[in-house]
Amino acid sequence: MNLARGTRTRKSSATPKPVTKAAKSKQSARTKLPADRSVTEHKVDLLEAMLRIRRFEERCVELYSAAQIRGFVHLYIGEEAVAVGVNEALTPQDAVVSTYREHGHALARGIPAQAVMAEMYGKTTGCSGGRGGSMHLFDAGRRFYGGNAIVAGGLPLAAGLALADHMRGQSHVTCCFFGDGAFAEGEFHETANLAALWDLPLLLVCENNLYAMGTSIQRHEAQTDLAMRAASYGMVAGVVDGMNVEAVEHAARRAAESIRAGSGPQFLELRTYRFRAHSMYDPDRYRDKGEVERWKDRDPITCLVDRLRENDELGDEELARIEQRVTDEVDRAVEAAEEAPEEPVENLLRHVTSAPVEVS
């Protein structure tokens, strides 16, 4: 990972608080692997987590084409290493704020596939009660504070969550995912400035897939080195290969541990690529097919499988078992969603308006 360090120029008459350096080891006592798990087992778990996202979304394509899923759907296919790698570095007490391209984040965070699929169907058993759909998955119990249909809309919310933990003296991390398109929005710069100013425990994760909807980053950013720009706010910023789940996990662990140790906010630019169009409505005419195919050669799932095979850590039979487990899980999620009830019409205003209050 390439790191850039910003220099803070503000002055204060107050005595600066000490900042504890993050551990130099790849895994600290807080986030290291359990003693009963081997490195190989962990890598296989990463593979299964990415396959779960891939197969879930491939099924969503089928269901959307069959009009079983309606509304906007933004697929995460190709970016699985980002969601899985970053979430592996977080604890259950940490908070996650997502984007409208959030299925991968939700599944990697541990929200059951059945709850996510039911939400896609708009059923009451969905994680948002069927009222959010693809772009608004929430699970407060897992501190997953959902997607946001507004570009960069989650950034101020993440700053607020981080500020709340900071004021309570809790050593939790708030992780906020956003795309490269959010960099052009004022919310990013306002959030980065306040986070650095107040030393908030905030991990800013930019999923740079090179396109803001249909606009190439070269056409919407005069300076495309996003990490360098983030460093100008006085935070540590790094660039990571977002197609390598192990590299993502390592960088995210190092950043999260440093934040917990009191370093203040950090920024990760994860360079990745979406293999599908911006949304299911998008004809995807703004990029060359050859470009897409070249990025598919770096498919994070295929590359991890190749590395595991080369090291004799994964055989065909085990890979087949993983594929079957994931396929069965997605099949059960679809069956449960189709059988789940829809919200009755009489509940139309539930969670929308408050009960009438008599005023004497």
Side-chain angles (χ1 to χ4, degrees):
M1 179 178 70
N2 298 323
L3 291 177
R5 293 182 179 273
T7 303
R8 303 193 188 190
T9 58
R10 70 180 189 270
K11 295 181 180 180
S12 173
S13 58
T15 302
K17 65 180 181 181
V19 176
T20 305
K21 297 293 184 181
K24 293 183 179 180
S25 63
K26 290 185 179 180
Q27 298 170 340
S28 71
R30 183 186 296 273
T31 58
K32 68 181 182 181
L33 299 179
D36 60 344
R37 296 204 57 74
S38 70
V39 173
T40 297
E41 288 175 317
H42 181 64
K43 287 189 285 188
V44 172
D45 285 346
L46 295 177
L47 173 62
E48 184 165 347
M50 289 195 293
L51 277 170
R52 179 178 296 106
I53 297 170
R54 179 70 59 89
R55 301 297 176 249
F56 181 95
E57 296 221 312
E58 289 171 344
R59 183 63 66 85
C60 287
V61 173
E62 298 173 8
L63 295 167
Y64 188 91
S65 300
Q68 296 298 308
I69 293 175
R70 302 174 187 272
F72 285 95
V73 174
H74 304 82
L75 298 171
Y76 201 66
I77 294 174
E79 300 184 28
E80 295 90 349
V82 174
V84 172
V86 171
N87 274 282
E88 282 293 324
L90 303 176
T91 71
Q93 292 74 38
D94 295 331
V96 175
V97 178
S98 186
T99 69
Y100 49 74
R101 196 182 307 281
E102 62 177 329
H103 313 150
H105 303 151
L107 292 170
R109 184 61 177 169
I111 300 178
Q114 290 192 14
V116 178
M117 187 62 78
E119 191 60 40
M120 303 289 286
Y121 270 73
K123 298 297 186 69
T124 57
T125 54
C127 57
S128 298
R131 290 177 168 241
S134 172
M135 294 191 288
H136 301 96
L137 307 174
F138 281 79
D139 190 327
R142 290 179 173 84
R143 297 206 77 196
F144 186 84
Y145 296 108
N148 200 305
I150 301 172
V151 173
L155 282 154
L157 303 178
L161 290 165
L163 177 61
D165 285 339
H166 186 60
M167 293 179 71
R168 295 188 186 109
Q170 297 172 330
S171 59
H172 304 329
V173 174
T174 295
C175 173
C176 184
F177 292 96
F178 55 96
D180 52 286
F183 229 89
E185 299 291 331
E187 290 94 332
F188 169 77
H189 300 280
E190 294 165 352
T191 297
N193 180 61
L194 287 178
L197 187 67
W198 296 339
D199 289 322
L200 298 185
L202 182 62
L203 176 58
L204 297 169
V205 177
C206 179
E207 296 180 300
N208 183 1
N209 61 26
L210 306 182
Y211 288 91
M213 296 183 68
T215 305
S216 169
I217 190 171
Q218 286 84 5
R219 301 188 65 183
H220 71 79
E221 294 294 335
Q223 172 53 263
T224 59
D225 189 338
L226 305 184
M228 182 182 72
R229 293 174 61 192
S232 70
Y233 286 100
M235 67 179 74
V236 176
V239 179
V240 186
D241 179 4
M243 306 300 276
N244 185 325
V245 67
E246 295 169 275
V248 172
E249 181 185 4
H250 172 54
R253 282 189 186 279
R254 181 163 64 176
E257 290 166 1
S258 182
I259 292 169
R260 290 191 188 96
S263 71
Q266 294 205 18
F267 174 94
L268 292 178
E269 178 189 348
L270 302 184
R271 294 181 178 174
T272 184
Y273 199 82
R274 51 176 166 81
F275 296 162
R276 304 283 301 207
H278 167 70
S279 73
M280 290 295 293
Y281 284 108
D282 180 8
D284 201 9
R285 296 173 181 168
Y286 46 83
R287 57 185 184 176
D288 184 89
K289 290 184 178 179
E291 175 185 303
V292 178
E293 293 305 314
R294 287 192 297 274
W295 275 92
K296 284 184 177 180
D297 289 339
R298 298 181 55 202
D299 186 319
I301 295 175
T302 303
C303 289
L304 180 57
V305 168
D306 290 344
R307 292 196 299 272
L308 288 167
R309 287 177 187 255
E310 289 171 5
N311 296 327
D312 294 324
E313 296 173 304
L314 180 70
D316 291 342
E317 291 185 1
E318 184 174 8
L319 180 58
R321 285 195 294 270
I322 294 171
E323 283 277 16
Q324 191 61 56
R325 275 201 305 271
V326 170
T327 300
D328 291 345
E329 183 179 348
V330 174
D331 285 344
R332 289 193 297 270
V334 173
E335 292 172 4
E338 291 177 346
E339 295 172 359
E342 295 181 346
E343 192 166 19
V345 175
E346 53 266 28
N347 285 353
L348 184 64
L349 297 181
R350 184 168 173 256
H351 303 310
V352 176
T353 62
S354 60
V357 177
E358 293 185 7
V359 179
S360 58

